[in-house]
Amino acid sequence: MGAAELRVLSKDPYNAEPPSLVELTKHAITPLRLAYARNHSDIKDLNSGSGEYTIKVDGELDEMEEIRITFKDLQDSFPRKEVVAALVCAGNRRAKMAERTGQKVQGINWSEGTISNVSWTGAPLRHVLIRAGVPEDSESHKGLHVCFASNVAPCEQDSWYGGSIPLEKAMSESGDVLLAYEMNGEPLTPDHGFPLRVVVPGYGGMRWVKWVDQITISRKESTNFYQQQDYRVLPTCVTNKDVADSQDWWSRVPAMQQLGCNSVVANTKRLPSVCPDEMTVEVSGYAYSHCPISRVEISADGGETWKETKITYQEGQWSWALWEGEIDVDLDGERGVEVLPAEQCKNGRRKLKATVLSRAIDSAGNVQDTECLWNLRGVGYCGAGEGTVTVEV
């Protein structure tokens, strides 16, 4: 089902990520062969029935009437809009959380490649909801939710997959929420939701429902398991599922929605240096948030001082930012440099490991944390990006 370039973490359901961040970040727009795959169910190939594929739209507002829109009608009767937006798994960097905190987390052991920056094309959800009778007055949207459902295949923890977002986001002209049928100029593939998936720029991928076939306006969030009992950042005192369930923590913390401010070091490279107790490191990576990235900074002294990098790519409001920079490392410094054990050294020389950190700052002024607390599900990890270089001196 997936591209051969992906590293498969589970086959049933199929979940896979690109194995190389260096290769991933070579591309401003992620090619399909490197787009990660996240599924809670079998992948359904609906190509043969796409002509009859229908979405039901209903809701609790008095002004609304239930309507059904065919896939063809969606393509032919609604504006066609293209949006570049980063799709990010809530569990991105889960393995890094476990490594940095020294605590086990529940879920697929994702590395730092569950992100895809894609050009999405589809019908604006706002126009679909207006056709169903949702008023354009923003005051009437407050406190309401748009619930997405896919009844195509049973999931691991529920008989269907669903999620919801605030109606205000869906109805915002600048929110750019789509019912997408193309990625990078080509029809969606089955593992990415053909014929239709929801695209919610600035929000976590768990709300980008694939194979969507029902949209409901509700006064409550989606009742689906993956909205109610998953994808929530539980406090550190919740150390197992029994505690979460018995103390009803799922209802005591909010469901994840907007992306946090985050950056990742994709590559480090030592540059030639004439000074034996110093070295210069070339660093590159990616960053994202729920709004544009203003700058990315790097540190070679454990976060005591920071140096601004150059953003080499960012497109519109919702894409990732690619960045690169250089930083000098003091090999005799007290922070950011570790002397490796003697058995790893050769010819009596010292072997050192230098760590370079990254942090992002977004246009809303949010600054990525250097540390990030552990949580049971390992979601939303946003500790500083981290890359290392080893050297013998």
Side-chain angles (χ1 to χ4, degrees), residues 125 146-150 160-163 165 198 207 209 212 214-215:
L125 178 59
V146 185
C147 302
F148 306 112
S150 172
W160 55 288
Y161 187 86
I165 63 172
V198 182
R207 308 298 172 227
V209 177
V212 60
Q214 184 171 353
I215 300 172

Side-chain angles (χ1 to χ4, degrees), residues 101 103 233-240 243 249 372-376:
T101 63
Q103 293 180 264
V233 180
L234 301 173
T236 56
C237 63
V238 181
T239 56
N240 58 63
V243 172
W249 276 105
C372 183
L373 294 177
W374 174 89
N375 66 79
L376 178 65

Side-chain angles (χ1 to χ4, degrees), residues 100 125 240 304 339 354:
R100 290 282 292 271
L125 178 59
N240 58 63
E304 187 171 330
V339 180

Side-chain angles (χ1 to χ4, degrees), residues 33 230 281 284 293 338 372 393:
R33 63 184 175 83
D230 201 354
V281 180
S284 61
I293 296 296
E338 175 187 357
C372 183
V393 295

